[in-house]
Amino acid sequence: MRSCPVVDRLACEAMDQEDPLRAFRAEFVLPDKEIYLVGNSLGAPPRTAAERVRQAVEDEWGRHLVGGWNESGWYAQPLTTGDRLAPLIGAGPGEVVAGNTTSIAVYQAVSAALRLRPGRRVIVVDRRNFPTDNYVIEGLAELRDVSEGRFDDAAAVLLSEVDYRTGARYDVPGMTARVQAAGALMIWDVCHSVGALRVDVSAADLAVGCTYKYLNGGPGAPAFLWVSPRHQEAAENVLSGWYSHAEPFAFEPGYRPAEGIRRFTVSTPHVLSFAALEAALDMWDRVDLDRVRAKSMALTSLFIDLVGDRLELASPREAERRGSQVSFYHPDGYPVMRALIDRGVHGDFRAPDILRFGFAPLYTRFTDVWDATQIIAEVLEKELWRDEKYAVRLAVT
C-alpha cells in the first residue's frame, strides 16, 4: 500500500479503492459529512452492536430473567470473552480475563507483581504513561511501602506500548528483555495499541488493556488482564471478590482462589457491556492485523505529509516508531481543536498543548485524510480558532 505524498483528492480516492479493508467501513455507524479521527479515544459503534444489546435485554434478560446466567452464558463471559481477545495481544486460551476497568486491572497486575517479587519494593513507571496507571501506583505506594528506583531494584516495570499523548511506540521485545534481565516483571499497558497493530505480549509477564478504543467495544466496555501462564499458579489477586472464588456458589465463609486465569476475575460481569463488545469481536474475528498495521502506517504517514509544516509534529516521523495516531504541538491547541470539530474534523486535545488525531484503519479512509488536512489548513491560515467561544473549556477535552 502506498504511503507517499499525494497531490490531489483523486489519488486518495484511488488509494481507497485499492484498500483491502475498505468493506469494513460499511459495518460501522458513522455520521454523514463528519471526519472521525478519535478512534484512539472511543471507537465508532459496529452496526451490529445495537441489535446484540437488544438481544441481551429482550431475548436473554427479558425471557430468562435470572436464568440468563446459565441459559445465555453470562456467567462465563469474563473467560469466553478473554479467550476471544487473546489472539489480538499474542496470547493463548486461558490467559486473558475480561471485565472491570483498566484502572482495576492495573491495580491487580502491579499488586500481583509485588507478591511475585518479595523483597523488592520498587515499581518503575514512565511519567508519560496514561495518568491512571501512575495514579494507581501512587496509591499502592502509600499502602504497600512501594518506592521509585532503578530496574535493578524493581519488582516490576509498568509501561504503555504506545504513548497516549504523542503516539510514540516502545520497543516491546527489547524493553521486555531488558526488564526481565534485571530480575523484574514486565507489565504492558496496551490500551493505545490493541486493535491498531499486531500486539504481542507473550514474552512479558502481565498486561492490561481496554476495548473501547480501536476495538470498538463501546463507552465503558470491559477491560482485560493477561497473566503469563508461567505465573498463574503463583500469582495472587489482591481483589479477592466472590467471582474468583474456587467455588463461588458454595458460599464459604473464607476465600479460596480459583485455578488459572479465573482467579483474576473480581465480581459480577457487566452483561450489557459485554454484549456490545461481543458484537465488535464478531467483526475482529475476520480482521487481518497485518493489513490493519499497513493501512495505519499509510494513513498516518499521509496525514503528516499533508499537514506539512503548518503544525509542529509531536509524534515520531518514522511510521514504525508510532502507533495509529498523529499528534502536533500548538500553544493554543484547545481552541484550534474546537474550531476543527465545529467544521467536522473530530480529534481531541491533551493538555497542555497536544492536538491528537487517531486513525482507525477499519473505517478511516484516505479521502478522510485529504479532506481533514484541507480543513486544518483553512482553520490555521484564517485563524478561525480565535473566535472567543472556542476558549471555553468543555468538561471532556
Side-chain angles (χ1 to χ4, degrees):
M1 183 178 294
R2 295 176 295 168
S3 61
C4 58
V6 296
V7 294
D8 58 26
R9 197 175 192 278
L10 287 176
C12 289
E13 291 175 359
M15 295 174 76
D16 285 332
Q17 289 301 312
E18 297 169 4
D19 176 15
L21 298 175
R22 65 185 181 278
F24 282 103
R25 180 178 169 86
E27 299 188 33
F28 290 91
V29 178
L30 291 162
D32 291 337
K33 299 180 181 179
E34 302 285 316
I35 303 170
Y36 190 69
L37 302 180
V38 207
N40 57 323
S41 186
L42 177 64
R47 292 190 178 278
T48 54
E51 172 60 18
R52 178 65 191 91
V53 173
R54 186 207 63 77
Q55 290 173 355
V57 173
E58 297 181 10
D59 301 341
E60 297 174 6
W61 182 14
R63 177 181 177 188
H64 301 299
L65 299 174
V66 73
W69 291 106
N70 290 316
E71 297 294 332
S72 302
W74 297 344
Y75 179 72
Q77 280 179 321
L79 302 182
T80 55
T81 305
D83 281 349
R84 296 186 70 185
L85 289 165
L88 297 172
I89 62 168
E95 298 179 15
V96 179
V97 64
N100 305 306
T101 66
T102 307
S103 299
I104 290 173
V106 168
Y107 190 94
Q108 291 178 284
V110 175
S111 297
L114 286 169
R115 294 189 177 192
L116 288 168
R117 289 293 183 268
R120 292 191 173 207
R121 312 307 304 165
V122 170
I123 301 295
V124 176
V125 298
D126 187 334
R127 290 296 182 189
R128 297 168 297 181
N129 282 349
F130 189 75
T132 196
D133 293 11
N134 294 353
Y135 297 164
V136 168
I137 302 301
E138 289 179 15
L140 274 171
E142 294 179 5
L143 291 173
R144 302 285 302 278
D145 188 29
V146 175
S147 60
E148 298 178 355
R150 304 167 304 176
F151 283 4
D152 291 345
D153 306 315
V157 176
L158 171 63
L159 300 173
S160 297
E161 180 174 12
V162 171
D163 185 320
Y164 82 101
R165 295 178 70 247
T166 68
R169 185 185 180 194
Y170 263 107
D171 171 7
V172 170
M175 182 59 72
T176 298
R178 180 183 173 192
V179 167
Q180 292 173 339
L185 299 179
M186 184 72 242
I187 306 171
W188 284 107
D189 178 338
V190 299
C191 287
H192 289 83
S193 52
V194 63
L197 48 89
R198 186 175 288 281
V199 174
D200 186 357
V201 299
S202 59
D205 299 286
L206 301 103
V208 301
C210 66
T211 62
Y212 54 81
K213 300 182 189 297
Y214 295 108
L215 292 183
N216 312 102
F224 59 86
L225 170 65
W226 171 77
V227 181
S228 171
R230 64 182 179 276
H231 296 308
Q232 286 188 15
E233 184 175 350
E236 299 178 49
N237 178 11
V238 296
L239 298 178
S240 47
W242 77 278
Y243 212 78
S244 63
H245 191 280
E247 296 182 74
F249 289 93
F251 300 113
E252 298 173 359
Y255 179 76
R256 288 187 296 120
E259 295 294 324
I261 195 64
R262 193 166 73 80
R263 73 172 55 183
F264 280 91
T265 58
V266 178
S267 55
T268 307
H270 301 161
V271 171
L272 301 184
S273 290
F274 269 99
L277 175 57
E278 288 167 352
L281 292 177
D282 287 342
M283 179 173 53
W284 280 98
D285 287 342
R286 300 182 278 112
V287 173
D288 183 326
L289 289 174
D290 291 329
R291 288 180 171 178
V292 167
R293 180 56 174 162
K295 184 178 177 185
S296 166
M297 292 192 292
L299 287 167
T300 53
S301 295
L302 176 63
F303 189 69
I304 291 170
D305 289 337
L306 292 176
V307 170
D309 60 3
R310 294 184 179 91
L311 290 166
E312 180 186 354
L313 183 64
S315 301
R317 189 167 295 276
E318 300 82 4
E320 295 78 7
R321 294 184 52 236
R322 62 175 180 264
S324 200
Q325 75 180 60
V326 176
S327 298
F328 299 97
Y329 297 114
H330 193 288
D332 294 290
Y334 184 75
V336 169
M337 185 55 73
R338 288 284 308 277
L340 290 173
I341 292 170
D342 262 7
R343 288 156 180 81
V345 177
H346 294 263
D348 62 14
F349 170 78
R350 290 295 176 262
D353 57 357
I354 293 282
L355 297 161
R356 296 197 316 172
F357 301 91
F359 298 81
L362 294 191
Y363 53 80
T364 305
R365 301 169 298 191
F366 291 95
T367 47
D368 293 330
V369 173
W370 173 268
D371 293 341
T373 56
Q374 304 310 298
I375 295 171
I376 289 171
E378 180 184 22
V379 165
L380 293 174
E381 290 168 7
K382 296 182 179 179
E383 297 190 341
L384 301 175
W385 55 271
R386 291 190 181 276
D387 190 314
E388 62 182 18
K389 68 181 178 181
Y390 297 136
V392 179
R393 296 286 178 105
L394 302 178
V396 177
T397 62

mmCIF file of all heavy atoms in Angstrom, residues 65-81:
data_model
loop_
_atom_site.group_PDB
_atom_site.id
_atom_site.type_symbol
_atom_site.label_atom_id
_atom_site.label_comp_id
_atom_site.label_asym_id
_atom_site.label_seq_id
_atom_site.Cartn_x
_atom_site.Cartn_y
_atom_site.Cartn_z
ATOM 1 N N LEU A 65 -34.735 -13.981 32.496
ATOM 2 C CA LEU A 65 -34.551 -13.319 33.789
ATOM 3 C C LEU A 65 -33.273 -13.826 34.449
ATOM 4 O O LEU A 65 -32.242 -13.897 33.804
ATOM 5 C CB LEU A 65 -35.804 -13.499 34.648
ATOM 6 C CG LEU A 65 -37.091 -12.887 34.049
ATOM 7 C CD1 LEU A 65 -38.298 -13.233 34.894
ATOM 8 C CD2 LEU A 65 -36.951 -11.377 33.916
ATOM 9 N N VAL A 66 -33.326 -14.201 35.709
ATOM 10 C CA VAL A 66 -32.101 -14.629 36.389
ATOM 11 C C VAL A 66 -31.517 -15.900 35.766
ATOM 12 O O VAL A 66 -30.316 -16.173 35.887
ATOM 13 C CB VAL A 66 -32.363 -14.823 37.902
ATOM 14 C CG1 VAL A 66 -33.194 -16.091 38.146
ATOM 15 C CG2 VAL A 66 -31.061 -14.852 38.693
ATOM 16 N N GLY A 67 -32.338 -16.641 35.061
ATOM 17 C CA GLY A 67 -31.848 -17.848 34.392
ATOM 18 C C GLY A 67 -30.863 -17.553 33.290
ATOM 19 O O GLY A 67 -30.175 -18.458 32.800
ATOM 20 N N GLY A 68 -30.760 -16.269 32.892
ATOM 21 C CA GLY A 68 -29.806 -15.904 31.861
ATOM 22 C C GLY A 68 -28.371 -16.216 32.229
ATOM 23 O O GLY A 68 -27.535 -16.416 31.336
ATOM 24 N N TRP A 69 -28.080 -16.253 33.539
ATOM 25 C CA TRP A 69 -26.704 -16.576 33.934
ATOM 26 C C TRP A 69 -26.306 -17.955 33.445
ATOM 27 O O TRP A 69 -25.137 -18.178 33.081
ATOM 28 C CB TRP A 69 -26.564 -16.497 35.456
ATOM 29 C CG TRP A 69 -26.667 -15.092 35.950
ATOM 30 C CD1 TRP A 69 -27.718 -14.516 36.602
ATOM 31 C CD2 TRP A 69 -25.692 -14.058 35.774
ATOM 32 N NE1 TRP A 69 -27.461 -13.200 36.849
ATOM 33 C CE2 TRP A 69 -26.216 -12.879 36.358
ATOM 34 C CE3 TRP A 69 -24.426 -14.005 35.187
ATOM 35 C CZ2 TRP A 69 -25.510 -11.678 36.377
ATOM 36 C CZ3 TRP A 69 -23.725 -12.807 35.209
ATOM 37 C CH2 TRP A 69 -24.268 -11.660 35.797
ATOM 38 N N ASN A 70 -27.256 -18.882 33.389
ATOM 39 C CA ASN A 70 -26.974 -20.208 32.850
ATOM 40 C C ASN A 70 -27.356 -20.318 31.380
ATOM 41 O O ASN A 70 -26.558 -20.777 30.548
ATOM 42 C CB ASN A 70 -27.748 -21.269 33.653
ATOM 43 C CG ASN A 70 -27.200 -21.453 35.053
ATOM 44 O OD1 ASN A 70 -25.984 -21.520 35.252
ATOM 45 N ND2 ASN A 70 -28.084 -21.535 36.036
ATOM 46 N N GLU A 71 -28.556 -19.879 31.039
ATOM 47 C CA GLU A 71 -29.086 -20.088 29.695
ATOM 48 C C GLU A 71 -28.356 -19.280 28.632
ATOM 49 O O GLU A 71 -28.233 -19.726 27.485
ATOM 50 C CB GLU A 71 -30.584 -19.742 29.671
ATOM 51 C CG GLU A 71 -31.460 -20.602 30.563
ATOM 52 C CD GLU A 71 -31.501 -22.046 30.112
ATOM 53 O OE1 GLU A 71 -31.329 -22.295 28.893
ATOM 54 O OE2 GLU A 71 -31.696 -22.929 30.960
ATOM 55 N N SER A 72 -27.883 -18.099 28.979
ATOM 56 C CA SER A 72 -27.300 -17.197 27.983
ATOM 57 C C SER A 72 -25.790 -17.052 28.099
ATOM 58 O O SER A 72 -25.192 -16.243 27.382
ATOM 59 C CB SER A 72 -27.956 -15.812 28.102
ATOM 60 O OG SER A 72 -29.357 -15.907 27.919
ATOM 61 N N GLY A 73 -25.166 -17.800 28.990
ATOM 62 C CA GLY A 73 -23.714 -17.787 29.090
ATOM 63 C C GLY A 73 -23.129 -16.578 29.784
ATOM 64 O O GLY A 73 -21.929 -16.316 29.681
ATOM 65 N N TRP A 74 -23.962 -15.822 30.511
ATOM 66 C CA TRP A 74 -23.456 -14.628 31.176
ATOM 67 C C TRP A 74 -22.348 -14.954 32.179
ATOM 68 O O TRP A 74 -21.364 -14.226 32.273
ATOM 69 C CB TRP A 74 -24.579 -13.909 31.929
ATOM 70 C CG TRP A 74 -25.693 -13.396 31.076
ATOM 71 C CD1 TRP A 74 -25.700 -13.227 29.713
ATOM 72 C CD2 TRP A 74 -26.976 -12.978 31.545
ATOM 73 N NE1 TRP A 74 -26.897 -12.738 29.314
ATOM 74 C CE2 TRP A 74 -27.714 -12.570 30.413
ATOM 75 C CE3 TRP A 74 -27.569 -12.910 32.805
ATOM 76 C CZ2 TRP A 74 -29.016 -12.094 30.523
ATOM 77 C CZ3 TRP A 74 -28.857 -12.445 32.923
ATOM 78 C CH2 TRP A 74 -29.577 -12.040 31.780
ATOM 79 N N TYR A 75 -22.549 -16.032 32.907
ATOM 80 C CA TYR A 75 -21.607 -16.371 33.985
ATOM 81 C C TYR A 75 -20.185 -16.538 33.456
ATOM 82 O O TYR A 75 -19.212 -16.168 34.108
ATOM 83 C CB TYR A 75 -22.068 -17.653 34.679
ATOM 84 C CG TYR A 75 -21.163 -18.121 35.782
ATOM 85 C CD1 TYR A 75 -21.096 -17.432 36.987
ATOM 86 C CD2 TYR A 75 -20.370 -19.253 35.624
ATOM 87 C CE1 TYR A 75 -20.265 -17.859 38.007
ATOM 88 C CE2 TYR A 75 -19.535 -19.683 36.635
ATOM 89 C CZ TYR A 75 -19.493 -18.982 37.826
ATOM 90 O OH TYR A 75 -18.656 -19.400 38.835
ATOM 91 N N ALA A 76 -20.054 -17.074 32.266
ATOM 92 C CA ALA A 76 -18.726 -17.384 31.711
ATOM 93 C C ALA A 76 -18.124 -16.243 30.902
ATOM 94 O O ALA A 76 -16.995 -16.359 30.414
ATOM 95 C CB ALA A 76 -18.822 -18.638 30.836
ATOM 96 N N GLN A 77 -18.833 -15.124 30.754
ATOM 97 C CA GLN A 77 -18.370 -14.051 29.864
ATOM 98 C C GLN A 77 -16.939 -13.564 30.136
ATOM 99 O O GLN A 77 -16.189 -13.332 29.183
ATOM 100 C CB GLN A 77 -19.339 -12.871 29.920
ATOM 101 C CG GLN A 77 -20.575 -13.069 29.063
ATOM 102 C CD GLN A 77 -21.532 -11.896 29.155
ATOM 103 O OE1 GLN A 77 -21.726 -11.313 30.223
ATOM 104 N NE2 GLN A 77 -22.160 -11.547 28.048
ATOM 105 N N PRO A 78 -16.506 -13.394 31.377
ATOM 106 C CA PRO A 78 -15.126 -12.934 31.577
ATOM 107 C C PRO A 78 -14.081 -13.854 30.959
ATOM 108 O O PRO A 78 -13.040 -13.388 30.488
ATOM 109 C CB PRO A 78 -14.995 -12.883 33.108
ATOM 110 C CG PRO A 78 -16.394 -12.644 33.582
ATOM 111 C CD PRO A 78 -17.251 -13.452 32.654
ATOM 112 N N LEU A 79 -14.375 -15.157 30.938
ATOM 113 C CA LEU A 79 -13.414 -16.111 30.385
ATOM 114 C C LEU A 79 -13.601 -16.309 28.891
ATOM 115 O O LEU A 79 -12.621 -16.343 28.132
ATOM 116 C CB LEU A 79 -13.537 -17.454 31.110
ATOM 117 C CG LEU A 79 -13.332 -17.407 32.625
ATOM 118 C CD1 LEU A 79 -13.432 -18.808 33.211
ATOM 119 C CD2 LEU A 79 -11.990 -16.790 32.969
ATOM 120 N N THR A 80 -14.842 -16.444 28.433
ATOM 121 C CA THR A 80 -15.060 -16.659 26.997
ATOM 122 C C THR A 80 -14.643 -15.425 26.196
ATOM 123 O O THR A 80 -14.054 -15.550 25.116
ATOM 124 C CB THR A 80 -16.533 -16.997 26.712
ATOM 125 O OG1 THR A 80 -17.379 -15.961 27.250
ATOM 126 C CG2 THR A 80 -16.919 -18.320 27.360
ATOM 127 N N THR A 81 -14.936 -14.247 26.731
ATOM 128 C CA THR A 81 -14.513 -13.022 26.044
ATOM 129 C C THR A 81 -13.007 -12.869 26.120
ATOM 130 O O THR A 81 -12.361 -12.418 25.158
ATOM 131 C CB THR A 81 -15.214 -11.798 26.649
ATOM 132 O OG1 THR A 81 -16.631 -11.999 26.622
ATOM 133 C CG2 THR A 81 -14.867 -10.533 25.878
#
